[in-house]
Amino acid sequence: MRAPHGHSRRQFLAGSTAVLGMGLGRLVPFARAAAAATVSVAKCDTYGVELVPTLDRMFDQLGGLGRLVRGRTVAVKLNLTGPPTIRLGPRPAGLAHWVHPRMIGAVVHLLDRAGAHRVRLLEGGYASAVPLDEYMYMAGWDAAEIVGAGRRVELENTNCLGRGGDYPRFDVPGGGLLFPSYQLNHSYRDCDVFVSLTKLKDHVTAGVTLSMKNCFGTIPTTIYGDYCPKDRPDERPRSGRNAVFHDGTRQPASPAAPEVDPASPRHDGYRIPRVIVDICAARPVDLAIVDGIESMGGAEGPWGGGEGCHPGVLVAGTNCVNTDAVATAVMGFDPMAPAGAAPFYACDNFLELAEGAGLGSRDLGRIEVAGTPIREARFDFAPFVRSRFPRRGPPYPENRS
Amino acid sequence: VDLDTWVPLRWPCGPLEIERGKRRESFTAREAEVLRAWTDPTALELVAGTPVSCLVVAWADGTTGDEEHQRALTPLLGAARGRGLGIVGWVSGAADLRRAAATARAAGLAALATDSADPVPGFDVLRFGKRGFGVRPPSDFLGDLDALWPGMRASLPAGADAVTGPTGAPWLDSNGWYVRLAHSLVHPRTLWLAFDPPEISQPLPAAAYVQAIADTEAYGARWMVSLDPHLRVGLLDRRAAALATWAGIGMSLAFFRRHRAWASFVPAGQLGVVSDFTGANEFLSFEVLNLLGRQGSLYRILEKGAALQAPFEGLDAVVYVDEAPPAGDLVRKLYRFAEGGGTLVTPPGWEERGMAEEDAWLSRYRVFRYGRGRLAVARERIEDPQILAEEAQLLMSHRHDRVRVFNAGTGLFHYATSGDGRAGVLHTFLFPTPYRRPPMTVWFRQPWAQARVWMVDSEEAAPVGRTAAEPGVEFHLPPVPVYCALEVSS
């Protein structure tokens, strides 16, 4: 089946081949042309009874879920980062760094009600190939309840082959900023609609974790993990993706393509934003949903420090760059900020790179916000970052070499 | 000999130990001084006021030095007896056990300890041996010579900061699984583990000794406490760090004396492991237990010969480890278990019953719905214990977890409950981390009404916060240094 948005975006991306890989400044003309779609923002205080009607209203503001998902297979990339047995103090993962299980249930319910043929919930469980339902149980979630939120719901850990027989290759239109292509679990191919369901939170390396950064977790550590053999995937992953992506100290296992420019900076502040843009270009997001009801500030997970917070807000949109730009603003940050400025203290601004790659606009002046105005939904994350991570040493990007 | 109450400490001293030390490359003159000093009765002041009630000294190794050694120890032994300490003489090498027993009796030793199987009528001999249960004489005492120093390996190649296991997590050694197995198969009244500190170029941290004691005592065994040479030198020099480590050892030993009731608790088990645990099945069955413990699975040991009579109540799954199938009665019992709602995991070749599950994601198994339960038959023999342990747990499903521990980092757990089911204890063994430990949360499926946390350095328990977390309850613990016991009650 045809992806509802993917086709035209792919055509557009194909047309921008010539500019990819150039300096940011040379991308500016294309940035002006980047898409700007409506983004919905809503206040939502709890994961209780108001959640479903709030989300329902937001999806209506985006044109309705039905036109997007009816009769289609919908893949939903969840944001369940880090091992399932780690919490931010006593705070359950769903109230800190993971998308809340009721949020997942609510989205599944609405997708189902809108006529989705099948909903496949996906995540690459950290350093693990265990089935996703087992991963959820280990965190104390009732996976059966989540699956029961719709008529045909499947779970898959996309860190590995899973139920697939191969790792399909996703080419990055234009050749890619860091890698020319990525090999992913079959579920990212075998779907008609791709949803990124993520958390509103900071990210130590990328500045913010939103719908685009969530897609970094689609990349299987059986191929891109630290300890994979060079010549083949290792179906028993044992690590994260630091060596290949953050540090650039090794290339992925065969048959994945090596990176475009092995001489490029090995700094994670340079590399991670580019992977984010690559992966969102290679596997475009059709619907971005950001859970900011309960969250954490200062980092993307308890391992980075941080503290719990209660922004009480939801953000959704059909363009992931637009959505993340609005969500960034809801967090009290400027999506137009340059590298080295909040929240991109230690990295390039992936929104800027994405805009340059033609994935969408980050210009709030061009993005229509439906529902609650940003200024009313705003919850300031800057204090968490400043208190947890006082910056020392030369600022980014001077230190990236 | 009241072995049950003895708290043994290896007391290296005298000529035999000096000769033995000289064979070690890293042996120093200071160590030799300590071995001479510990031959002096005044050295016994070290154990005054501690729970140590038994000294284990080298007694004979069959060399010409035995007599001189035994003579040199005479004043020490007299003084030790005067302090009420029991003395066990260690006999090794080619020593004649009967002759050693005669001299031991004359010197007032309470018992000998040895790995020899030679008979010695009329004198108590504590028999130590390599691991294995091929021969299972009923015994009040079992001594384990193959025990490992628990925790992360301290003696690592240059540049390595940890040895990783197949999961990528740091590899942890523990003797807990073997202690449980020994209790299940041999039922010794007393089980002593003999293991020495790893040879490293500096004193072991105090926490390492707490771990060694806790890993042994929590499972119902006793460590023949053995101090590293650096610590012994430090104690002779009265260095503050060494004295603090020694005080920590004393506190840890005293802690488990105060909580002896926990030793009668029954390990919580939801995954039955059936094997004869001997011969060709020894490696796989031993390692499966080791790895189930490592991954936090709650297992119950079911010796094949006794499994027919053993109750399966409370089990969610059973994994049959051995290659050869059991006798017909046990086969029927195992299938009945699956039919009644459990999950049965078998090697290849077992009869496939029920309806095949289409969405079976474990490629190494054919999985069937059978009655109210499930049957998982391996397609091929699984010889990797890591895979067998991991997949048995997944086939049982974490959906049935009875306890979950959050924020423990690299750690091990042992959960046991009282016979009447009204109380329980979760022993938590944590291992070193360079990072600040976060507060831990423990979830129990059983909605325990209250809990308190015990740490070895305090005689008082601390209450812990409780929150309902359907279907169960969570307790929120403060950051735990190395070991704690979470005591729960209904």
Side-chain angles (χ1 to χ4, degrees):
Chain A
M1 289 186 208
R2 185 178 62 86
H5 303 294
H7 185 67
S8 59
R9 181 175 297 143
R10 282 174 194 273
Q11 283 181 326
F12 178 84
L13 288 168
S16 63
T17 302
V19 299
L20 291 167
M22 297 177 178
L24 283 174
R26 298 174 69 183
L27 296 172
V28 170
F30 290 86
R32 290 202 192 102
T38 300
V39 174
S40 173
V41 178
K43 295 288 286 179
C44 188
D45 204 43
T46 73
Y47 296 100
V49 289
E50 72 263 50
L51 179 57
V52 168
T54 304
L55 280 170
D56 200 14
R57 194 166 54 248
M58 293 173 74
F59 294 144
D60 281 348
Q61 287 164 350
L62 301 177
L65 271 186
R67 71 176 179 87
L68 192 65
V69 305
R70 185 170 297 118
R72 295 182 167 123
T73 292
V74 183
V76 183
K77 165 65 174 70
L78 308 175
N79 185 201
L80 314 180
T81 186
T85 52
I86 288 186
R87 287 184 174 185
L88 181 67
R91 215 173 161 94
L95 297 178
H97 57 298
W98 282 20
V99 172
H100 196 278
R102 286 195 195 143
M103 182 76 187
I104 300 170
V107 169
V108 168
H109 165 73
L110 291 170
L111 290 170
D112 185 66
R113 204 185 67 186
H117 169 65
R118 179 206 323 253
V119 178
R120 196 175 274 153
L121 301 176
L122 312 173
E123 173 61 302
Y126 176 78
S128 167
V130 304
L132 191 54
D133 51 347
E134 290 296 311
Y135 200 75
M136 290 176 170
Y137 287 126
M138 289 160 80
W141 288 15
D142 187 346
E145 202 168 89
I146 291 171
V147 169
R151 281 164 297 181
R152 195 169 177 189
V153 182
E154 298 169 357
L155 301 173
E156 184 143 349
N157 183 342
T158 57
N159 223 1
C160 51
L161 268 178
R163 296 183 182 88
D166 64 338
Y167 289 101
R169 195 182 77 199
F170 290 77
D171 292 330
V172 182
L177 296 177
L178 206 68
F179 284 86
S181 62
Y182 294 80
Q183 302 215 225
L184 307 181
N185 173 282
H186 74 101
S187 298
Y188 298 106
R189 172 195 60 199
D190 300 337
C191 64
D192 308 304
V193 180
F194 181 48
V195 179
S196 175
L197 175 51
T198 190
K199 204 75 171 176
L200 184 88
K201 59 185 177 181
D202 293 308
H203 195 281
V204 172
T205 312
V208 287
T209 303
L210 297 165
S211 74
M212 294 180 68
K213 173 64 184 70
N214 182 37
C215 295
F216 180 71
T218 61
I219 303 171
T221 53
T222 48
I223 297 177
Y224 297 88
D226 295 348
Y227 304 119
C228 296
K230 288 180 181 174
D231 58 341
R232 62 190 156 77
D234 176 1
E235 285 304 307
R236 303 187 72 201
R238 290 172 285 176
S239 67
R241 310 171 182 90
N242 278 41
V244 174
F245 293 119
H246 290 73
D247 307 332
T249 51
R250 64 160 288 174
Q251 296 299 314
S254 180
E259 62 182 284
V260 173
D261 178 10
S264 65
R266 303 290 95 179
H267 192 290
D268 58 2
Y270 172 90
R271 300 173 63 79
I272 297 301
R274 282 165 175 78
V275 181
I276 294 169
V277 174
D278 276 355
I279 201 75
C280 289
R283 171 58 271 189
V285 174
D286 299 306
L287 177 62
I289 308 169
V290 185
D291 168 12
I293 296 176
E294 299 272 1
S295 187
M296 66 174 291
E300 70 277 17
W303 49 88
E307 56 192 279
C309 61
H310 177 58
V313 64
L314 297 169
V315 183
T318 52
N319 179 288
C320 62
V321 185
N322 304 162
T323 307
D324 285 6
V326 169
T328 301
V330 167
M331 295 170 75
F333 297 123
D334 179 5
M336 305 296 278
F344 308 104
Y345 294 104
C347 56
D348 285 320
N349 178 344
F350 68 82
L351 296 170
E352 183 180 11
L353 292 167
E355 187 180 64
L359 298 188
S361 174
R362 61 183 169 131
D363 182 354
L364 296 177
R366 296 186 58 222
I367 303 166
E368 182 192 350
V369 175
T372 307
I374 291 173
R375 66 178 181 282
E376 289 177 27
R378 180 170 161 163
F379 182 91
D380 207 349
F381 275 69
F384 299 119
V385 181
R386 283 197 290 268
S387 66
R388 295 289 167 185
F389 301 100
R391 302 294 170 200
R392 298 188 186 91
Y396 191 85
E398 283 76 10
N399 65 350
R400 79 181 186 190
S401 60
Chain B
V1 174
D2 186 9
L3 287 172
D4 215 18
T5 59
W6 271 3
V7 178
L9 169 69
R10 291 201 81 142
W11 190 263
C13 65
L16 280 186
E17 293 279 15
I18 292 171
E19 285 306 309
R20 188 175 299 161
K22 284 177 183 170
R23 293 196 286 272
R24 188 159 47 84
E25 206 171 290
S26 58
F27 190 64
T28 65
R30 285 293 287 148
E31 281 181 57
E33 273 180 55
V34 177
L35 295 174
R36 276 188 284 274
W38 277 27
T39 315
D40 191 296
T42 58
L44 294 173
E45 198 52 38
L46 186 66
V47 298
T50 73
V52 171
S53 58
C54 165
L55 302 183
V56 181
V57 297
W59 190 245
D61 65 6
T63 61
T64 53
D66 286 0
E67 278 184 39
E68 183 205 345
H69 175 78
Q70 291 164 9
R71 261 197 315 278
L73 262 57
T74 303
L76 176 82
L77 301 181
R81 281 198 307 278
R83 288 170 175 264
L85 295 167
I87 310 290
V88 171
W90 192 271
V91 180
S92 58
D96 180 329
L97 199 55
R98 285 169 184 262
R99 183 180 167 81
T103 57
R105 187 182 295 109
L109 269 61
L112 290 181
T114 182
D115 60 355
S116 166
D118 292 348
V120 184
F123 197 70
D124 283 314
V125 178
L126 311 182
R127 304 285 182 178
F128 281 76
K130 299 270 183 197
R131 288 184 171 174
F133 299 98
V135 180
R136 300 179 199 171
S139 171
D140 277 353
F141 179 88
L142 182 68
D144 176 20
L145 283 176
D146 283 342
L148 300 166
W149 184 269
M152 280 188 244
R153 302 237 167 105
S155 48
L156 297 171
D161 57 4
V163 174
T164 55
T167 60
W171 182 260
L172 297 177
D173 285 321
S174 168
N175 299 301
W177 66 273
Y178 185 76
V179 171
R180 286 190 54 190
L181 182 61
H183 277 301
S184 294
L185 301 190
V186 188
H187 313 291
R189 203 168 66 116
T190 305
L191 174 49
W192 282 12
L193 305 186
F195 57 88
D196 292 319
E199 279 197 35
I200 55 174
S201 57
Q202 56 186 337
L204 279 176
Y209 285 97
V210 178
Q211 288 165 352
I213 293 165
D215 183 75
T216 312
E217 294 275 355
Y219 294 94
R222 192 147 307 151
W223 177 38
M224 214 158 55
V225 176
S226 176
L227 311 183
D228 70 271
H230 305 281
L231 177 57
R232 281 186 269 128
V233 169
L235 289 171
L236 187 68
D237 295 344
R238 313 272 320 151
R239 285 184 212 142
L243 292 169
T245 298
W246 176 243
I249 292 170
M251 272 192 289
S252 304
L253 293 170
F255 176 84
F256 285 100
R257 300 283 77 67
R258 288 197 299 275
H259 296 288
R260 291 189 69 185
W262 291 339
S264 66
F265 284 19
V266 181
Q270 60 181 149
L271 173 61
V273 182
V274 181
S275 172
D276 60 15
F277 300 102
T278 59
N281 301 316
E282 185 179 286
F283 169 75
L284 188 60
S285 59
F286 277 22
E287 279 305 294
V288 163
L289 296 184
N290 186 6
L291 292 161
L292 285 172
R294 177 69 191 87
Q295 69 190 27
S297 299
L298 302 180
Y299 62 89
R300 187 190 301 175
I301 295 163
L302 295 167
E303 199 269 332
K304 190 156 59 178
L308 192 59
Q309 284 73 42
F312 279 11
E313 277 73 30
L315 293 178
D316 293 311
V318 170
V319 56
Y320 183 86
V321 176
D322 300 352
E323 191 162 10
D329 286 352
L330 182 53
V331 170
R332 281 189 286 279
K333 179 175 179 175
L334 290 168
Y335 276 108
R336 274 202 308 276
F337 169 75
E339 198 173 15
T343 295
L344 174 62
V345 183
T346 78
W350 284 50
E351 184 185 341
E352 296 171 352
R353 299 182 186 176
M355 185 176 295
E357 283 188 4
E358 287 184 9
D359 190 29
W361 45 265
L362 279 181
S363 59
R364 277 177 276 266
Y365 289 89
R366 288 190 189 86
V367 182
F368 303 86
R369 286 261 149 221
Y370 179 50
R372 290 190 287 126
R374 295 163 84 220
L375 173 65
V377 181
R379 294 174 193 273
E380 293 176 5
R381 173 84 176 146
I382 296 174
E383 292 175 339
D384 181 339
Q386 174 74 26
I387 291 174
L388 187 53
E390 202 172 279
E391 297 192 343
Q393 167 67 64
L394 293 174
L395 284 161
M396 178 173 71
S397 178
H398 285 285
R399 184 178 191 172
H400 304 295
D401 282 353
R402 295 178 192 178
V403 60
R404 297 186 184 115
V405 183
F406 298 94
N407 286 351
T410 301
L412 297 171
F413 317 100
H414 176 51
Y415 179 36
T417 55
S418 62
D420 62 6
R422 300 180 61 161
V425 62
L426 180 81
H427 299 277
T428 304
F429 315 92
L430 304 181
F431 293 90
T433 168
Y435 308 108
R436 187 167 55 92
R437 285 197 193 279
M440 274 186 4
T441 295
V442 181
W443 172 88
F444 293 97
R445 183 173 296 277
Q446 182 161 343
W448 297 108
Q450 51 195 352
R452 50 188 183 162
V453 64
W454 296 91
M455 306 211 194
V456 293
D457 58 356
S458 172
E459 292 196 10
E460 299 293 323
V464 293
R466 178 188 190 276
T467 54
E470 293 298 331
V473 63
E474 284 185 352
F475 294 104
H476 305 290
L477 281 65
V480 173
V482 173
Y483 164 82
C484 78
L486 182 64
E487 196 176 42
V488 288
S489 56
S490 55

